[in-house]
Amino acid sequence: GAGYTYRGPVKLSLSYAFQEVSSNSFGETALRHRLTGSAGVLLPWRVTLLAQGSLGLSRYPDGIFLSPEIILVEEDEGQNSVSLKLARPVSARVDLELSWGVWSTRLPRNNLSYTRQVFGVGFTWRDAE
């Protein structure tokens, strides 16, 4: 893989990775290309905007072997995603955060796909330095 990061008024990061998972079991070999980008910027009123996106292209040379005994788990490497977070300090140690994200994936041989969105509101705690 390779990556580049720019640190200026806006922090930008872009990375590319290739992963090969080889197996002698039928349907368990995967080739993956993954492009990930992120950005962070300080907005007015001490609000920080963080954005991240990932695009993955997976290929399964033998196809995908599915059986009732195999549980398909969520894996970040097989998903495309976009997420945004707004954070603002409400005290010296506590930030209020609003977040949104969407994740999707598709199995290439049978066109099964899913998409999910997540919204969040939360607080984060910082230790004093």
Side-chain angles (χ1 to χ4, degrees):
Y4 176 78
T5 299
Y6 168 77
R7 290 182 176 88
V10 174
K11 182 184 182 250
L12 300 172
S13 177
L14 186 65
S15 64
Y16 166 81
F18 173 75
Q19 178 185 31
E20 179 178 353
V21 179
S22 296
S23 175
N24 60 356
S25 296
F26 181 79
E28 295 184 19
T29 295
L31 306 172
R32 294 190 175 116
H33 298 272
R34 186 151 183 84
L35 185 63
T36 302
S38 62
V41 64
L42 187 60
L43 301 174
W45 302 296
R46 298 182 342 174
V47 174
T48 302
L49 171 63
L50 304 169
Q52 183 174 358
S54 295
L55 181 61
L57 176 62
S58 297
R59 190 168 69 85
Y60 304 88
D62 301 328
I64 299 172
F65 175 70
L66 299 176
S67 77
E69 292 81 29
I70 295 177
I71 298 173
L72 293 177
V73 296
E74 295 177 14
E75 57 172 323
D76 290 341
E77 291 87 10
Q79 297 183 1
N80 300 318
S81 66
V82 174
S83 62
L84 299 173
K85 182 186 291 187
L86 291 171
R88 185 182 192 286
V90 293
S91 74
R93 293 187 176 171
V94 177
D95 289 352
L96 171 64
E97 293 186 353
L98 302 173
S99 62
W100 168 81
V102 61
W103 289 263
S104 69
T105 193
R106 182 180 70 83
L107 297 175
R109 286 285 178 135
N110 54 16
N111 288 324
L112 290 176
S113 64
Y114 76 91
T115 299
R116 76 175 193 272
Q117 290 190 57
V118 177
F119 296 89
V121 176
F123 293 94
T124 57
W125 174 269
R126 284 187 310 276
D127 285 331
E129 293 183 13

